[in-house]
Amino acid sequence: MPKRTDIKSILIIGSGPIVIGQGCEFDYSGAQACKVLRQEGYRVILINSNPATIMTDPEMADATYIEPITPEYIEAIIAKERPDAILPTMGGQTALNAAMKLNELGILEKYGVELIGAKPDAIKRAEDREEFLATMTAIGLEMARGGFVKTTDEAMQLIDLVGFPAIIRPSFTLGGTGGGIAWNLEEFRDIVQKGLDASPVTQVLVEESVIGWKEFELEVMRDMADNVVIICSIENFDPMGVHTGDSITVAPAQTLSDKEYQKMRDAAIKVIRAIGVDTGGSNIQFAVNPADGRMLVIEMNPRVSRSSALASKATGFPIAKIAAKLAVGYSLDEIPNDITKLTPSCFEPTIDYCVVKIPRWDFEKFKGIEATSSQLGVQMKSVGEVMAFGRTFKEAFQKAIRSLEQSRYGLGSDGKDEFEIDEMSDVEKIRTMEIIRERLGQRRSDMIFTIRYAMKLGMSREQIFDITKIDPWFLNQLEQIVRREGELRQAAALV
Amino acid sequence: MKKQARLVLENGVVFHGAAFGATGKDRTGGEVVFTTSITGYQEILTDPSYAGQIVTMTNPLIGNYGANNDDLESRKPFVSGFIIRELAEEYSNWRSTESISSFLSENNILAIEGIDTRKLVRILRSQGALRGIVTTESVSDKAILDEVQKLPIMTGLDLTKGVTTSEAYEIAGTLANAPHVVVIDYGIKQNILRKLTAHGAKLTVMPSTVTYDEIKDRKPDGIFLSNGPGDPEAVTDGIETVKHLVEGKKYPIFGICLGNQLLSLALGGETYKLKFGHRGANHPVKNLETGKIEITSQNHGFCVNWDTMPDSCELTHLNLNDNTVEGFRHKELPIFAVQYHPEASPGPHESDYLFTQFMQTLA
């Protein structure tokens, strides 16, 4: 399909200020979209409240508005510029939320502006938990077991289905206050009651816990002709329970057989079609039970996401750029591949290397909450990330640690250790082991170094897995690095 | 200590690495090829179409999820050898029962790891598939190179007889009045049989040397021509039988991979050897009838030359990477075939509709 000629001007919504949980990756995607759409001859109008971005540079758009990303300001811009369409999928959640608000307020209808990339009903299906669950059930995909309840009695009826530990999330409370994890009936009853009290609509979500399960993501693209391709598979080093933005992630997925990967691929294709994202990229997250392979859909982002940036760099497939072209009507086979120039973009990249992303935290900037804030959870705390390539996981991993610029030169062996285990007496080792065991159980940001100490203290892979649920394949990779360190130390002693 | 091993290519390039799998074996020779599949090494090892070939994985990290008893595409691995960048020291997957190294060892397949597979693939892409030997022996490179030169070249080789079933056998259908398909086994992948039965057929699988009369005696409703190894032009008895089947105008026919090539040859077309073949699970193919793109699983070194095909046939599928023939249909008869692997395993599942299409032709 050729590009659309019924639209002449497009408004792109940026992602606003850079905050923790939403990095500068959306500046990159927005800037790409501006460039591509201008090249295609469209008049590009941009709104972003953050002047410290590349996309707000004067030459990027035909008209740039550095204004708050609120319905009022956007409406004023629409009234003045009269764009034919809005592309809301390049500016992260901020842009998507703004577009949904414009739709709800009838502003899109009033000015006859079309959302391109993702339509309001598709965005709603992806973002509203109940609608998403209903859609997944309709296409035969499983999500975590559970349901919404309004009384403790209803909750008690769900507990057999959900099992322990059970997750309780009150509806519509800020930051999930009043929720928690219950390990037994008594706690369950208690937390449900508190959750119901905290919820303005007296409703809680009771859900099976998938903490410790393996976490995967697929980056998917779809065009107007309904062609769907998977750009990249990503496996999280950290299991479910740590926010993806705070997880070490690896591309491609390392521990899935073809049968399991294809099952996930089929599911991802079904999801993007059922949710109805017309064109562009989406990110779909899955949890897999390491004990029996049971696969659950966790969530979907119907837009360019943090992981799209990672997938683009990892594979060389420019997701934001292609997504912008798909939004104006091109199909994947009409867009040339950026790398080969000769073949079309309608393919699935395959890579002969391993990519490792490691987040970077800056806890010293959060004064007063230092001690607990280095513990990771469902809320993202990292302020940036590094990514490294290698022909092996070990190579990429070591390069990534160096790139963090936190004066570590790899997994230890750099004279920067907190514990000098090789120098310790047996008594000191026992004492240190207690500290290390405790730290392994707290999802701290220095987990990889803690694992190294644990290994040096003689803990087995099985023992570390039991506490951390980090896949034994990844643990063995670290073990190989630690073992090589030992060999080098011994060799040096021989000289 | 890992046992040292070498890969010697016919152009004289030597790679040094470590042996795994059947490390007690002195050497193994074959055509060195590569696949871009990220997952599915066990399916690849047991795909009979790889007979006579030493397979290189472009994905550098192999063995991570071990091996199991379910991901087999035939009774045993048929590759001559296996080349990877790094073998997993430990595997991790809830389905795995053993390591890939012990699986290869039990099946007497010699493999090599720790070589620069990126460099190797660059050589194969620029010079085409090359003959090579993987060896654990401590003899000179020159002596091994002499042995490499003596290996047969793939063009002109009929390898189907080494991989086909020795006896005909039946697979019952799930439905009472299931249509009956005679499957000619040139080295069939198990997943094709699973797909045909899942789509409601009952099957009689027959050896590659089966004659037209033997097929007729089974009173089939349709014929399936399987994938298989080697040069299609060398499978002369197969071409002869397919010619009979086509000329008889009696049966719907569906071919995959080698089956596609044999059908083309029987219809009067010609095949040729591709420089380095198509092997992987990420090949884009355009369905010319629907305009849709399928991401396909492929494994073929030979290809149909469309210019030589008769006017009675029309092109239905095209490879978007190099515009080669990926499928065709007969304009009047219920005969069609694809060069790629709709049964996947390993690879994407989106071409499954071809099995539905075949079932619809069986009255």
Side-chain angles (χ1 to χ4, degrees):
Chain A
M1 260 165 280
K3 74 174 182 209
R4 289 178 62 173
T5 50
D6 58 329
I7 49 179
K8 305 269 183 270
S9 58
I10 300 169
L11 171 66
I12 294 176
I13 308 176
S15 66
I18 292 172
V19 293
I20 293 178
Q22 176 171 295
C24 52
E25 57 267 18
F26 299 118
D27 184 24
Y28 175 77
S29 54
Q32 286 286 314
C34 289
K35 260 196 219 166
V36 165
L37 296 178
R38 283 189 86 191
Q39 272 165 18
E40 291 295 336
Y42 296 100
R43 178 174 151 77
V44 172
I45 304 135
L46 173 70
I47 172 169
N48 195 2
S49 58
N50 184 354
T53 55
I54 308 282
M55 71 165 96
T56 50
D57 285 358
E59 68 278 9
M60 294 302 290
D62 295 288
T64 302
Y65 292 85
I66 298 173
E67 299 291 352
I69 302 171
T70 62
E72 298 73 32
Y73 281 93
I74 302 176
E75 182 177 6
I77 294 167
I78 293 174
K80 179 159 181 259
E81 298 284 347
R82 298 310 295 256
D84 299 311
I86 295 180
L87 182 60
T89 52
M90 298 292 167
Q93 200 59 40
T94 306
L96 214 51
N97 289 349
M100 287 304 275
K101 205 82 206 164
L102 292 172
N103 181 55
E104 278 165 36
L105 296 171
I107 295 168
L108 298 180
E109 206 183 354
K110 181 175 166 192
Y111 294 93
V113 192
E114 180 189 347
L115 281 192
I116 55 174
K119 299 274 177 269
D121 55 335
I123 298 170
K124 183 142 184 292
R125 259 196 300 281
E127 307 234 309
D128 179 295
R129 238 200 108 74
E130 286 190 82
E131 273 200 48
F132 188 69
L133 175 63
T135 311
M136 292 305 102
T137 311
I139 56 173
L141 294 175
E142 222 186 323
M143 293 188 67
R145 292 179 189 132
F148 290 92
V149 296
K150 289 188 144 301
T151 64
T152 33
D153 285 349
E154 281 175 33
M156 294 314 270
Q157 284 167 16
L158 270 182
I159 194 64
D160 281 345
L161 175 75
V162 169
F164 291 109
I167 309 279
I168 298 112
R169 295 180 216 272
S171 300
F172 303 105
T173 63
L174 268 184
T177 27
I181 303 175
W183 294 86
N184 56 51
L185 270 181
E186 206 177 313
E187 279 178 18
F188 182 68
R189 198 189 296 268
D190 190 42
I191 299 173
V192 167
Q193 192 52 59
K194 279 185 189 148
L196 290 171
D197 293 345
S199 167
V201 293
T202 327
Q203 178 179 285
V204 296
L205 173 65
V206 174
E207 208 176 47
E208 120 184 72
S209 164
V210 290
I211 288 174
W213 287 29
K214 289 158 72 135
E215 186 171 352
F216 297 89
E217 292 173 72
L218 294 188
E219 281 298 314
V220 191
M221 293 210 89
R222 184 182 186 208
D223 68 14
M224 217 86 99
D226 195 27
N227 295 307
V228 183
V229 291
I230 312 293
I231 305 309
C232 190
S233 65
I234 299 170
E235 179 164 356
N236 287 15
F237 173 96
D238 298 279
M240 289 293 296
V242 176
H243 191 285
T244 308
D246 279 339
S247 293
I248 296 175
T249 60
V250 182
Q254 293 296 328
T255 63
L256 289 177
S257 68
D258 187 67
K259 298 283 177 289
E260 292 145 0
Y261 172 67
Q262 297 303 338
K263 188 175 146 196
M264 202 173 275
R265 184 181 180 279
D266 289 349
I269 294 172
K270 272 188 183 173
V271 171
I272 196 168
R273 285 188 174 143
I275 294 298
V277 175
D278 303 331
T279 68
S282 287
N283 158 268
I284 303 166
Q285 293 167 24
F286 297 92
V288 172
N289 187 335
D292 60 10
R294 194 171 143 229
M295 182 185 85
L296 306 179
V297 179
I298 300 300
E299 64 169 20
M300 175 213 218
N301 288 309
R303 56 174 168 84
V304 171
S305 68
R306 179 181 313 101
S307 300
S308 317
L310 178 116
S312 290
K313 290 169 202 153
T315 61
F317 190 105
I319 293 176
K321 181 176 162 184
I322 305 276
K325 287 201 177 195
L326 298 180
V328 293
Y330 283 108
S331 59
L332 283 162
D333 56 320
E334 290 171 339
I335 307 168
N337 177 331
D338 255 13
I339 293 173
T340 64
K341 312 282 183 207
L342 298 170
T343 57
S345 291
C346 195
F347 77 114
E348 299 200 344
T350 182
I351 55 181
D352 70 349
Y353 47 85
C354 179
V355 181
V356 175
K357 175 211 88 174
I358 303 184
R360 175 172 166 160
W361 297 271
D362 263 326
F363 290 116
E364 56 272 24
K365 293 196 177 147
F366 299 91
K367 290 213 176 71
I369 48 167
E370 239 159 279
T372 52
S373 66
S374 68
Q375 274 188 42
L376 307 177
V378 290
Q379 192 164 2
M380 180 170 159
K381 290 176 176 170
S382 73
V383 294
E385 61 197 28
V386 298
M387 192 168 134
F389 291 52
R391 287 277 282 160
T392 65
F393 171 84
K394 298 178 287 265
E395 180 188 338
F397 182 74
Q398 292 283 62
K399 279 159 84 172
I401 294 176
R402 279 193 161 218
S403 310
L404 283 169
E405 292 186 359
Q406 289 181 315
S407 71
R408 294 306 305 242
Y409 288 90
L411 191 68
S413 288
D414 55 2
K416 305 274 171 84
D417 284 340
E418 185 182 348
F419 302 103
E420 284 297 341
I421 288 160
D422 294 327
E423 319 288 318
M424 284 180 184
S425 69
D426 286 351
V427 178
E428 285 172 321
K429 278 185 183 169
I430 291 167
R431 241 182 254 139
T432 311
M433 182 71 117
E434 274 172 35
I435 301 170
I436 293 303
R437 261 182 200 284
E438 197 190 329
R439 284 192 188 176
L440 283 177
Q442 308 161 330
R443 298 158 173 262
R444 287 165 51 113
S445 60
D446 56 0
M447 180 66 106
I448 52 178
F449 295 102
T450 309
I451 290 172
R452 171 168 166 271
Y453 297 133
M455 285 173 172
K456 285 181 75 81
L457 285 164
M459 269 181 94
S460 71
R461 199 164 53 232
E462 290 73 22
Q463 288 170 315
I464 299 172
F465 170 75
D466 282 343
I467 304 172
T468 63
K469 301 295 177 201
I470 293 171
D471 193 274
W473 186 84
F474 289 118
L475 292 177
N476 172 254
Q477 296 290 315
L478 303 200
E479 207 169 47
Q480 290 180 45
I481 298 172
V482 173
R483 197 169 64 215
R484 178 57 57 91
E485 176 194 339
E487 286 165 12
L488 286 172
R489 280 181 193 276
Q490 279 195 323
L494 287 175
V495 174
Chain B
M1 241 345 233
K2 284 176 174 170
K3 190 168 179 177
Q4 289 186 357
R6 264 175 303 165
L7 166 69
V8 180
L9 296 177
E10 67 177 284
N11 63 3
V13 175
V14 180
F15 292 89
H16 292 267
F20 71 102
T23 53
K25 207 168 162 175
D26 286 342
R27 70 173 74 157
T28 185
E31 184 185 41
V32 182
V33 297
F34 67 89
T35 173
T36 56
S37 272
I38 289 178
T39 52
Y41 50 80
Q42 204 181 356
E43 291 90 333
I44 288 163
L45 290 169
T46 54
D47 175 353
S49 292
Y50 282 111
Q53 293 173 326
I54 302 178
V55 179
T56 310
M57 302 295 295
T58 56
N59 178 6
L61 305 175
I62 300 296
N64 303 3
Y65 57 84
N68 61 52
N69 296 322
D70 300 319
D71 293 352
L72 304 172
E73 279 304 319
S74 62
R75 57 194 179 273
K76 63 170 187 137
F78 281 99
V79 297
S80 299
F82 193 43
I83 301 170
I84 62 171
R85 172 66 175 80
E86 185 179 80
L87 177 69
E89 189 176 274
E90 294 292 335
Y91 57 89
S92 167
N93 188 283
W94 63 284
R95 295 195 306 142
S96 56
T97 51
E98 63 179 328
S99 73
I100 196 67
S101 190
S102 70
F103 172 77
L104 288 168
S105 172
E106 284 153 25
N107 288 287
N108 200 31
I109 306 284
L110 175 60
I112 182 170
E113 64 146 332
I115 73 163
D116 186 350
T117 48
R118 181 179 286 172
K119 180 179 171 191
L120 172 61
V121 170
R122 279 178 173 270
I123 291 172
L124 298 177
R125 279 185 62 96
S126 62
Q127 298 180 29
L130 297 171
R131 290 170 295 166
I133 284 179
V134 174
T135 179
T136 56
E137 296 165 293
S138 48
V139 292
S140 70
D141 291 345
K142 175 76 178 62
I144 298 294
L145 186 58
D146 288 344
E147 294 300 315
V148 175
Q149 305 291 357
K150 289 180 203 158
L151 292 171
I153 57 164
M154 195 52 85
T155 305
L157 279 193
D158 172 10
L159 296 173
T160 58
K161 294 187 177 65
V163 296
T164 182
T165 177
S166 50
E167 302 282 335
Y169 61 94
E170 288 169 15
I171 300 175
T174 45
L175 305 165
N177 54 350
H180 178 209
V181 174
V182 161
V183 174
I184 309 185
D185 174 8
Y186 299 105
I188 197 162
K189 282 168 69 185
Q190 286 302 308
N191 216 42
I192 297 181
L193 298 175
R194 286 183 214 118
K195 283 282 176 196
L196 287 169
T197 45
H199 279 264
K202 75 175 176 195
L203 311 176
T204 301
V205 185
M206 305 190 79
S208 64
T209 50
V210 69
T211 63
Y212 178 67
D213 289 336
E214 286 167 340
I215 295 170
K216 219 170 66 183
D217 288 347
R218 300 278 179 162
K219 300 192 171 54
D221 298 308
I223 312 292
F224 178 81
L225 308 174
S226 89
N227 64 298
D231 183 349
E233 284 189 23
V235 189
T236 47
D237 41 4
I239 299 168
E240 204 51 43
T241 301
V242 177
K243 219 179 239 174
H244 256 105
L245 289 167
V246 171
E247 283 161 5
K249 296 187 182 178
K250 220 170 135 69
Y251 307 114
I253 307 174
F254 176 27
I256 288 179
C257 199
L258 185 74
N260 171 66
Q261 295 159 354
L262 295 179
L263 205 45
S264 304
L265 291 164
L267 285 160
E270 287 169 14
T271 57
Y272 64 99
K273 194 169 190 307
L274 292 163
K275 191 173 174 189
F276 51 84
H278 295 173
R279 293 175 188 87
N282 63 332
H283 282 257
V285 166
K286 186 160 192 165
N287 180 328
L288 300 175
E289 292 173 323
T290 63
K292 296 216 17 175
I293 285 109
E294 298 158 36
I295 302 299
T296 67
S297 179
Q298 304 214 355
N299 172 18
H300 58 105
F302 291 84
C303 192
V304 173
N305 178 351
W306 189 252
D307 295 339
T308 64
M309 289 293 282
D311 290 340
S312 59
C313 297
E314 72 181 310
L315 190 64
T316 56
H317 295 80
L318 194 67
N319 188 307
L320 291 181
N321 282 344
D322 60 5
N323 294 312
T324 52
V325 177
E326 291 292 351
F328 73 94
R329 68 157 71 245
H330 196 282
K331 285 176 184 163
E332 283 100 40
L333 303 171
I335 292 174
F336 70 101
V338 287
Q339 186 59 62
Y340 58 95
H341 290 268
E343 81 282 6
S345 198
H349 296 160
E350 57 225 48
S351 309
D352 190 68
Y353 70 92
L354 289 158
F355 290 98
T356 312
Q357 194 175 308
F358 179 51
M359 295 309 289
Q360 285 163 353
T361 65
L362 309 177

